[in-house]
Amino acid sequence: MLSGRAKGTPKHRDGSVEPIRELRVVRASAVKARTQTINQIKSLLITAPAAVREALPSLTTTELIRRLAASRPRADLADPATAVKLALKRLAKRYRNLSEEISDADADLRVLIAPIAPGLLALPGVGTETAGQLLVTAGDNPDRLVSEASFAHLCAAAPVPVSSGRTDRHRLNRGGNRQANRALHTIVLVRMRHDPRTRSYVARRTLAGLKTKDIFRCLIGEVSMLRPNPWVVTPW
């Protein structure tokens, strides 16, 4: 860059994608805090007195949070069982508040994303979170990405050849924007489970002798072709 040889165009931050990026920062921190909260709850349950553990058998996260938030610990805080019940109750309330914050953020993000990329949200396996990440990765000036191949490389979806004298194959790219790659990974996982066309493709390639990781690589490469150029004129 300093020598003047760099030819890349930087992302602009003055368009409709910038608010999406800013709100996703808040959402990401809320998700991280909620994960930390449920981990703390489970950790306290492991070390809690037997009476507390036995009163909370194997439950789903939703049911566990509901029961802990509705509990009414006694006022004797010197009792270890009472103290851990109170701690679990407060953590459950924190978990609920963070879940509401995440839901509010998702609603706000959908309001911002829907007018920009309605076609992207309509694609199988693409939700608010993955669509927002792909938009942020492309930036407010997606025309800087001159081809689908450049976007695939940016998202670490461009295949890397690992052929030898006996084989001719590629592997997944471990570089690039890891958050964008995670979004593509999520889209492919959802499609492999719920999209009939993708499941048919997986079955066909499996019969052809491809391994699951190779099929996954092919699907990520296909999904990475979702590049806008630009989406303001031609929606995703």
Side-chain angles (χ1 to χ4, degrees), residues 20-21 37 47 53 57 63 88-89 108 139 151 175 202 208 223:
I20 297 174
R21 184 191 69 83
T37 301
T47 59
R53 292 199 309 271
E63 181 63 19
L88 291 171
K89 179 183 178 67
D108 294 337
F151 186 66
V202 171
V223 174

Side-chain angles (χ1 to χ4, degrees), residues 54-211:
E54 293 172 358
L56 297 168
S58 300
L59 301 172
T60 63
T61 299
T62 302
E63 181 63 19
L64 177 63
I65 295 300
R66 186 190 68 79
R67 291 184 59 174
L68 291 176
S71 63
R72 294 183 178 181
R74 294 179 298 176
D76 186 11
L77 297 180
D79 179 20
T82 301
V84 74
K85 287 179 181 179
L86 180 59
L88 291 171
K89 179 183 178 67
R90 290 177 176 174
L91 286 172
K93 288 185 175 181
R94 181 186 302 174
Y95 185 95
R96 279 188 169 180
N97 292 335
L98 289 169
S99 296
E100 292 178 1
E101 183 178 338
I102 294 170
S103 297
D104 292 341
D106 286 336
D108 294 337
L109 286 170
R110 193 167 189 88
V111 170
L112 292 173
I113 295 172
I116 300 174
L120 180 60
L121 289 176
L123 292 173
V126 181
T128 303
E129 171 63 13
T130 51
Q133 178 59 59
L134 293 178
L135 288 172
V136 171
T137 301
D140 280 306
N141 52 330
D143 52 317
R144 68 193 177 87
L145 305 170
V146 296
S147 66
E148 286 81 2
S150 62
F151 186 66
H153 188 76
L154 176 63
C155 296
V160 178
V162 288
S163 302
S164 65
R166 296 185 178 182
T167 61
D168 183 15
R169 57 183 295 271
H170 297 75
R171 69 166 175 82
L172 293 176
N173 191 339
R174 305 300 179 187
N177 187 312
R178 302 313 303 169
Q179 294 303 315
N181 188 266
R182 179 181 62 84
L184 296 178
H185 183 97
T186 302
I187 294 171
V188 170
L189 281 179
V190 174
R191 286 187 174 187
M192 289 177 70
R193 291 184 181 182
H194 303 289
D195 183 42
R197 292 180 58 191
T198 304
R199 296 180 67 178
S200 176
Y201 173 85
V202 171
R204 185 174 71 254
R205 298 306 295 270
T206 301
L207 290 176
L210 266 69
K211 297 181 179 179

